[in-house]
Amino acid sequence: AELDTLDILVLGVILLGTFAYLTKGTLWAKQKDPYANAAYLNGNAAKAGKTRNFVEKMEESGKNCIIFYGSQTGTAEDYASRLAKEGKSRFGLETMVADLEEYDFDAMDTLPSDKIAFFVMATYGEGEPTDNAVEFYEFINGDDVAFSQGGEDAPLDNFHYVAFGLGNNTYEHYNSMVRDVDRLLTKYGAHRIGNAGEGDDGAGTMEEDFLAWKEPMWAALAAHMGLEEREAVYEPVFGITVREGLTPQSPEVYLGEPNKMHLEGAQKGPFNAHNPYIAPIAESYELFKVKDRNCIHLEIDISGSTLSYTTGDHIAIWPTNAGDEVDRFLRITGLTDKREQVISVKALEPTAKVPFPTPTTYDAIVRYHLEIGAPVSRQFVSTLAAFAPNEEIKTEMTKLGSDKDYFHEKTGSQLLNIARLLEHVGNGETWDKIPFSAFIEGLTKLQPRYYSISSSSHVQPKKISVTAVVESSMVVGRQDPFRGVATNYLLALKQKQNGDPEPSPFGLTYELHGPRNKYDGIHVPVHVRHSNFKLPSDPAKPIIMIGPGTGVAPFRGFIQERAQQAREGINVGRTILFFGCRKSTEDFMYESEFEEYKKALGDKFELVTAFSRESSKKVYVQHRLKERSAEISDLLSQKAFFYVCGDAANMAREVNTVLAQIIAEGRGVSESKAEEIVKNMRAANQYQEDVW
Ligand code: FAD
């Protein structure tokens, strides 16, 4: 029989492995790993020799469909992969997924009319593009856009596209990114196929909005391109190869290290979303006085790194999945016995990217790289039906995947994660027929979580404070509560550092020492993200801050900074903080610290509190704000800066409304005029939000 290339490679690896074993690995270490994925070699996508012209790239790789994503938290990227997969399996499209950041767009006008481009665009914060979409957006939204073939009236007349946006209706600029891109492409003569879809995270309907949009879109695209639908058969995007010659102890095996530098034990900047700094936690403690809720304060030491921050920036924490969820996942997928097996993962087609470095182990992939805790999507349930342990379960999975109401009735309201869903539907049977590739494709990669830095860079430039409330919520129909991934990990770190009597929260066994004990001595992987949420450059300007709950985080930094400036004899303007929580005796965080700041700032500083559970009527920060109408109106006329931080869904919106009322009354103008004034304040950065 003929050996195919994969066989030869595998054989080669076995031979090399044996050789390495015999030479005690001394030569092996210098061999170039034929399976290593280039993207992780330097902590960044390998750029060398790669074209930034996507039309060329499509040509080279024989693609007729490119799916661009602008993604911040991974959802848009995930949707892009799903569309690529579906386009291929249902319609035979030759699809590729593309990070907007990796291409230039001046050659857009050369895309032949028989090809198609998708844009899956998340809107971030105040209607901004996601980090990876900034360049594309600046290009297409620029005043003098120049396409490669010059400027007729409709330079993009050949360009056909599909668009979907991910937004949140609680923000003012709802889905502005997809709306803008759609408008601009149309302006240059491009033709949209199907509707520009909009998913709403605010209403919690993102997934269903996406599913509802894509069916008519596929129909329109099939009609436009003359595609014929075929029965979708699952084709893996990634090939898994067992690396017989390697063990978890082999030095080239990734056990959760994010890239090659980390594997080799060298931490080198720049530290960013591809390359975290493993930072020591200098100190950690509990901020709440109650037993059943936790809020963690951390001091993260960045002195050993090139990281820097300014007051108001965000820090990203790279979490590790909880041990019991990792175990559950491996158990239900039949991988428990293979958890330490070394495997390489290779993209079976040139434009797909393996989302983590290999060779690695199943354990490391599940623990460090896949978002196994998130609620499972209905579409993924549909994909997995084919691999059910028996016909009965397969029928049930197919029904769940295709019937929205049934899905929500049976599982949706419990927000089951993947392993819990498989347990639930399969009555505990093992799902060992699912190709592992399906999980890599179907689950988002584990995302860093962002936190508003709660310290001042003026006061402590090399130590970053974090204020994180631990997510734990009861879910209807479930015995145990849902526990947030990152915050319970932080809680476990805090408990270990302080030698708390119950070191693992709620029985969740985290691997706190990290891959090869690299996080031991209490470390956490982080990077910093710069923000536009900033104090006025003139410290004499008054500021009004609205920060209930953990929304107080950046304001602790602001006040720490102003208190220090006051001690240095600098003239500091009026500084008012509206803080709210349940009870003064339970979750009033930083109470004694604020007293210290008061000593330094005197009358310049005022803390206005709203305790929602101390009287029969619930009092929130917006009520307190209203009570101070006259003073607020007066401060605003002195050009006070107005800041809101915390809950985007309700609080920020109500504060906005109250502020408009205050302005309307104070200046004797109509409410609609007042709303316009608030809009202008936002545009001028006099009103700044840091909400999530
Ligand atoms: P996750 O696991 O991410 O879950 C988050 C939420 O999703 C849960 O509360 C739950 O409602 C829902 N959920 C997810 N999966 C399931 C499931 N399977 N079942 C049921 N429900 C589910 N937070 C702070 O505490 N302090 C800050 O200063 C702060 N600043 C931020 C600044 C920015 C710019 C942003 C974007 C966010 C900020 N956050 C802050 C929020 C923070 O990033 C995290 O989202 C938060 O800590 C929860 O993370 P987690 O991993 O613990 O929860």
Side-chain angles (χ1 to χ4, degrees):
E2 258 179 37
L3 291 174
D4 66 23
T5 1
L6 197 64
D7 288 338
I8 294 173
L9 277 174
V10 172
L11 254 178
V13 169
I14 295 172
L15 284 175
L16 274 173
T18 318
F19 184 53
Y21 176 70
L22 293 173
T23 57
K24 297 209 171 64
T26 45
L27 286 178
W28 177 247
K30 293 192 188 87
Q31 297 290 338
K32 187 166 164 21
D33 186 337
Y35 293 97
N37 29 352
Y40 293 91
L41 290 183
N42 55 8
N44 220 323
K47 298 254 157 66
K50 246 173 63 175
T51 178
R52 289 187 56 86
N53 179 331
F54 71 88
V55 182
E56 251 173 52
K57 176 85 187 181
M58 290 172 76
E59 195 64 42
E60 271 167 24
S61 46
K63 304 295 180 190
N64 60 357
C65 171
I66 189 163
I67 305 185
F68 290 109
Y69 61 86
S71 189
Q72 196 72 28
T73 60
T75 314
E77 183 177 354
D78 181 42
Y79 284 9
S81 310
R82 285 163 59 180
L83 289 167
K85 182 101 189 146
E86 200 173 340
K88 166 104 180 148
S89 62
R90 278 176 67 187
F91 299 98
L93 277 169
E94 293 302 330
T95 54
M96 65 177 283
V97 175
D99 184 343
L100 280 167
E101 189 172 65
E102 293 183 4
Y103 294 94
D104 295 328
F105 289 87
D106 50 342
M108 275 175 103
D109 55 342
T110 65
L111 186 75
S113 59
D114 59 351
K115 300 195 174 181
I116 185 88
F118 283 51
F119 293 88
V120 184
M121 308 290 298
T123 297
Y124 192 63
E126 296 290 294
E128 290 148 39
T130 57
D131 291 348
N132 78 323
V134 169
E135 274 182 47
F136 164 67
Y137 185 67
E138 282 174 357
F139 171 79
I140 191 83
N141 193 30
D143 288 336
D144 37 27
V145 180
F147 293 105
S148 61
Q149 297 187 337
E152 319 97 81
D153 282 350
L156 297 184
D157 193 30
N158 274 335
F159 192 90
H160 294 80
Y161 70 98
V162 165
F164 184 79
L166 295 86
N168 184 322
N169 77 20
T170 58
Y171 290 82
E172 189 189 340
H173 301 273
Y174 175 57
N175 259 314
S176 65
M177 212 32 60
V178 73
R179 291 180 186 180
D180 277 8
V181 166
D182 183 43
R183 175 179 55 80
L184 292 159
L185 290 174
T186 306
K187 172 176 134 189
Y188 292 115
H191 306 279
R192 192 185 65 234
I193 310 297
N195 290 327
E198 293 185 355
D200 185 2
D201 206 22
T205 54
M206 183 69 80
E207 176 73 12
E208 290 303 338
D209 294 339
F210 175 67
L211 297 183
W213 161 80
K214 77 183 174 53
E215 283 316 313
M217 178 280 292
W218 285 125
L221 188 66
H224 166 71
M225 294 180 82
L227 307 170
E228 272 191 41
E229 181 158 5
R230 51 191 196 183
E231 179 157 9
V233 269
Y234 175 78
E235 282 176 59
V237 172
F238 302 104
I240 314 289
T241 319
V242 177
R243 301 290 301 271
E244 299 289 358
L246 299 177
T247 72
Q249 285 73 44
S250 309
E252 64 270 56
V253 175
Y254 289 86
L255 300 181
E257 290 91 348
N259 59 49
K260 187 152 199 218
M261 286 186 304
H262 283 274
L263 181 70
E264 292 176 345
Q267 284 213 66
K268 238 176 38 211
F271 298 107
N272 52 35
H274 305 283
N275 184 34
Y277 171 61
I278 313 292
I281 298 178
E283 200 189 347
S284 55
Y285 50 85
E286 174 63 51
L287 291 166
F288 286 174
K289 296 186 194 81
V290 277
K291 278 234 153 65
D292 56 336
R293 289 162 67 221
N294 297 88
C295 187
I296 310 292
H297 179 94
L298 299 175
E299 291 287 325
I300 296 174
D301 183 352
I302 54 167
S303 60
S305 75
T306 50
L307 282 173
S308 65
Y309 79 104
T310 54
T311 313
D313 283 345
H314 300 135
I315 185 168
I317 304 258
W318 294 48
T320 297
N321 280 313
D324 67 345
E325 289 296 343
V326 173
D327 294 345
R328 184 195 304 277
F329 182 96
L330 294 172
R331 189 169 59 239
I332 201 68
T333 54
L335 289 169
T336 304
D337 294 341
K338 295 191 199 162
R339 65 192 305 159
E340 302 297 346
Q341 196 173 60
V342 178
I343 54 169
S344 279
V345 180
K346 190 133 178 86
L348 296 176
E349 65 122 319
T351 54
K353 269 196 278 179
V354 184
F356 43 78
T358 78
T360 183
T361 63
Y362 289 111
D363 186 284
I365 296 172
V366 176
R367 195 179 299 277
Y368 293 103
H369 300 297
L370 296 181
E371 195 80 69
I372 57 169
V376 69
S377 76
R378 190 158 63 81
Q379 192 176 8
F380 194 39
V381 170
S382 216
T383 307
L384 297 183
F387 309 105
N390 63 42
E391 282 305 311
E392 197 188 325
I393 300 171
K394 179 174 176 179
T395 310
E396 176 69 0
M397 283 291 274
T398 310
K399 182 154 188 225
L400 285 169
S402 57
D403 184 336
K404 174 178 161 183
D405 297 329
Y406 186 65
F407 179 74
H408 286 282
E409 180 198 327
K410 283 280 171 183
T411 71
S413 59
Q414 296 179 47
L415 298 164
L416 298 175
N417 66 30
I418 178 67
R420 286 171 187 260
L421 179 116
L422 296 179
E423 277 178 353
H424 180 75
V425 182
N427 299 317
E429 290 227 35
T430 309
W431 293 67
D432 53 9
K433 288 188 230 145
I434 304 175
F436 196 70
S437 177
F439 294 118
I440 307 175
E441 296 157 40
L443 301 175
T444 312
K445 61 181 170 199
L446 187 56
Q447 295 293 319
R449 271 52 170 182
Y450 288 95
Y451 295 88
S452 302
I453 293 177
S454 59
S455 53
S456 153
S457 57
H458 179 59
V459 177
Q460 46 178 78
K462 287 289 165 187
K463 242 186 233 168
I464 289 179
S465 303
V466 173
T467 308
V469 71
V470 178
E471 287 288 341
S472 168
S473 48
M474 288 314 293
V475 181
V476 186
R478 244 172 72 173
Q479 305 261 304
D480 53 340
F482 164 76
R483 302 202 185 278
V485 175
T487 49
N488 284 281
Y489 169 60
L490 293 178
L491 174 61
L493 283 165
K494 176 245 151 195
Q495 292 181 332
K496 182 176 178 201
Q497 180 159 50
N498 294 276
D500 291 359
E502 262 177 276
S504 58
F506 326 107
L508 304 177
T509 44
Y510 290 87
E511 265 191 16
L512 298 179
H513 50 78
R516 295 189 167 82
N517 289 326
K518 282 174 180 154
Y519 306 175
D520 217 8
I522 319 294
H523 285 70
V524 64
V526 301
H527 71 268
V528 171
R529 184 174 191 275
H530 298 289
S531 87
N532 298 322
F533 194 73
K534 293 290 167 238
L535 276 165
S537 50
D538 177 4
K541 278 241 168 84
I543 57 172
I544 302 159
M545 298 166 282
I546 320 291
T550 44
V552 78
F555 303 135
R556 174 183 180 262
F558 283 15
I559 298 164
Q560 200 183 44
E561 181 145 327
R562 286 200 155 192
Q564 182 63 19
Q565 288 169 329
R567 288 186 203 105
E568 289 165 5
I570 294 170
N571 178 26
V572 171
R574 187 142 167 80
T575 303
I576 306 186
L577 170 65
F578 289 82
F579 172 77
C581 64
R582 289 186 191 171
K583 285 186 177 176
S584 55
T585 50
E586 290 187 357
D587 48 359
F588 187 0
M589 49 185 118
Y590 302 120
E591 184 181 4
S592 55
E593 249 183 65
F594 286 130
E595 283 163 17
E596 289 302 309
Y597 300 140
K598 177 90 192 157
K599 281 182 199 152
L601 286 161
D603 289 346
K604 299 286 175 59
F605 174 51
E606 188 181 359
L607 173 62
V608 182
T609 51
F611 301 113
S612 62
R613 302 202 181 170
E614 289 194 349
S615 56
S616 54
K617 210 172 138 256
K618 290 201 167 165
V619 188
Y620 295 118
V621 280
Q622 56 270 28
H623 303 130
R624 292 285 186 243
L625 188 66
K626 193 75 198 276
E627 290 168 12
R628 300 295 188 100
S629 293
E631 191 184 355
I632 298 297
S633 178
D634 185 44
L635 285 171
L636 289 178
S637 60
Q638 297 169 42
K639 293 268 171 277
F641 275 43
F642 190 88
Y643 300 91
V644 185
C645 180
D647 167 37
N650 305 302
M651 182 275 298
R653 208 173 233 207
E654 285 175 27
V655 167
N656 188 97
T657 309
V658 168
L659 189 68
Q661 290 167 358
I662 291 175
I663 290 173
E665 279 168 31
R667 304 191 193 172
V669 295
S670 69
E671 288 227 357
S672 65
K673 174 77 189 154
E675 271 159 29
E676 207 184 300
I677 295 174
V678 173
K679 268 203 179 124
N680 292 338
M681 282 173 65
R682 284 176 184 266
N685 272 337
Q686 198 194 338
Y687 186 130
Q688 298 183 23
E689 267 183 357
D690 184 24
V691 293
W692 59 80

